[in-house]
Amino acid sequence: MKNISFGQYYPAESLIHRLDARAKVILALLYIICSFLCKNIISFAALALSAVLLVLLSNIPLKAVFRAIRPILFVMLFTVVLNVFWTKGESPLFSWGILTVYPEGLYNALFMLVRILSLIIGTSIFMTYTTTPIELADAIEQLLAPLKKIKIPVHEFSMMMTVALRFIPTLIEETEKITAAQKARGADFSSGGLIKRAKALIPILVPLVVSAFRRADELATAMECRCYRGGDGRTKLHVLRYDAKDFMMMAVVVVFGGLLVGLNMLAIGYTM
């Protein structure tokens, strides 16, 4: 559970850290679009190179980046196996019983692996490691501000997201403490079948839910004591402001998307 990176901000001095939080949300969305524009091996190679450049620009250690990838290793492995054995082609590369592997399946598996890795790295760097939860919530609130005209509670949604992101690491730490306490009392979470293991989680889930409700009640009391009454008339200590580097970075990502479209037109290798 320590490998979960949601809500974990990595303090560092880098260009991406200095970007406006709203710009980073937009950059994350643009990067997701760019990842789905890739069609051939050249464009996917450019996408993989861009993910490496993002890691270098953010000054985040590779260990921290891999920590964001580890929780989805099973999903990545399942996707690779599914593409290898379910994609059909013209001439088989390998055949054994009912299993047949085509070159198209290997290409699709490689492309999907690069796409998933790039998505995780890009969104983690823009949305998690370089942006604090409070900045991220403020950015989303300002980006969704036009929805206030149709009576959508944007501030309340932003506040709920801020609280959720803030308490994810706390709940993970609480879960680890409860698990260690139950193991010290002789609880066994690793033996038996699926049903037995599921029942063994009840001594963890019950105190965790009780602890979460207790924290929520304490937080509500603290907010009331500080006269919190919603977003009407509230001011902010740190006001978000766009800078030249924000527009420059967004322009670079847009140009990168156009480059991927141009690379897709090159008839080189296998095309999805």
Side-chain angles (χ1 to χ4, degrees):
M1 297 187 71
K2 293 180 180 179
N3 297 324
I4 299 177
S5 61
F6 295 125
Q8 296 182 5
Y9 170 75
Y10 189 91
E13 180 61 30
S14 69
L15 173 64
I16 299 181
H17 280 80
R18 293 192 297 269
L19 293 175
D20 187 270
R22 294 167 298 177
K24 283 187 274 190
V25 173
I26 297 173
L27 286 169
L29 295 176
L30 291 176
Y31 193 77
I32 292 173
I33 295 174
C34 288
S35 66
F36 286 98
L37 293 176
C38 300
K39 298 297 180 182
N40 60 11
I41 190 170
I42 301 297
S43 59
F44 273 102
L47 181 65
L49 180 61
S50 69
V52 175
L53 291 177
L54 283 178
V55 175
L56 296 177
L57 286 175
S58 63
N59 286 337
I60 297 176
L62 289 176
K63 183 179 179 180
V65 176
F66 290 145
R67 189 165 61 243
I69 297 174
R70 286 176 60 182
I72 62 164
L73 285 177
F74 175 77
V75 177
M76 294 168 57
L77 180 61
F78 178 76
T79 303
V80 168
V81 172
L82 196 65
N83 279 275
V84 167
F85 292 106
W86 284 82
T87 302
K88 303 299 181 181
E90 297 179 357
S91 56
L93 185 65
F94 169 79
S95 181
W96 183 68
I98 61 174
L99 301 178
T100 304
V101 177
Y102 295 90
E104 292 82 357
L106 295 178
Y107 280 119
N108 280 344
L110 177 62
F111 291 166
M112 289 300 298
L113 183 62
V114 172
R115 177 173 289 165
I116 293 175
L117 285 174
S118 300
L119 282 172
I120 296 299
I121 292 174
T123 54
S124 297
I125 288 177
F126 284 127
M127 302 283 287
T128 303
Y129 285 123
T130 63
T131 311
T132 63
I134 294 178
E135 290 178 348
L136 183 61
D138 289 343
I140 293 178
E141 180 181 356
Q142 293 191 23
L143 290 174
L144 298 180
L147 297 178
K148 293 180 180 179
K149 297 180 179 180
I150 55 176
K151 305 301 181 180
I152 293 181
V154 176
H155 175 78
E156 285 71 15
F157 171 76
S158 174
M159 178 60 68
M160 288 189 296
M161 192 189 70
T162 302
V163 173
L165 290 175
R166 163 60 184 85
F167 279 97
I168 284 176
T170 303
L171 291 178
I172 291 175
E173 183 180 358
E174 189 78 16
T175 304
E176 292 174 352
K177 290 181 180 179
I178 295 173
T179 303
Q182 295 295 347
K183 286 183 178 180
R185 293 179 175 88
D188 185 10
F189 303 106
S190 58
S191 63
L194 182 62
I195 297 178
K196 183 179 179 180
R197 292 188 182 185
K199 290 181 179 179
L201 292 177
I202 295 177
I204 296 178
L205 295 177
V206 172
L208 181 62
V209 172
V210 172
S211 175
F213 276 104
R214 184 178 67 251
R215 290 181 183 275
D217 182 66
E218 293 174 353
L219 178 62
T221 303
M223 294 174 70
E224 289 181 357
C225 292
R226 289 166 174 80
C227 300
Y228 176 76
R229 294 293 183 271
D232 294 336
R234 289 182 60 85
T235 59
K236 298 183 182 299
L237 177 62
H238 301 286
V239 180
L240 299 177
R241 291 185 177 89
Y242 285 112
D243 200 354
K245 59 181 178 294
D246 300 316
F247 297 105
M248 187 179 300
M249 195 68 177
M250 286 187 282
V252 169
V253 177
V254 172
V255 171
F256 176 68
L259 176 63
L260 293 178
V261 174
L263 292 176
N264 290 332
M265 298 179 182
L266 299 177
I268 300 177
Y270 174 75
T271 302
M272 291 186 70

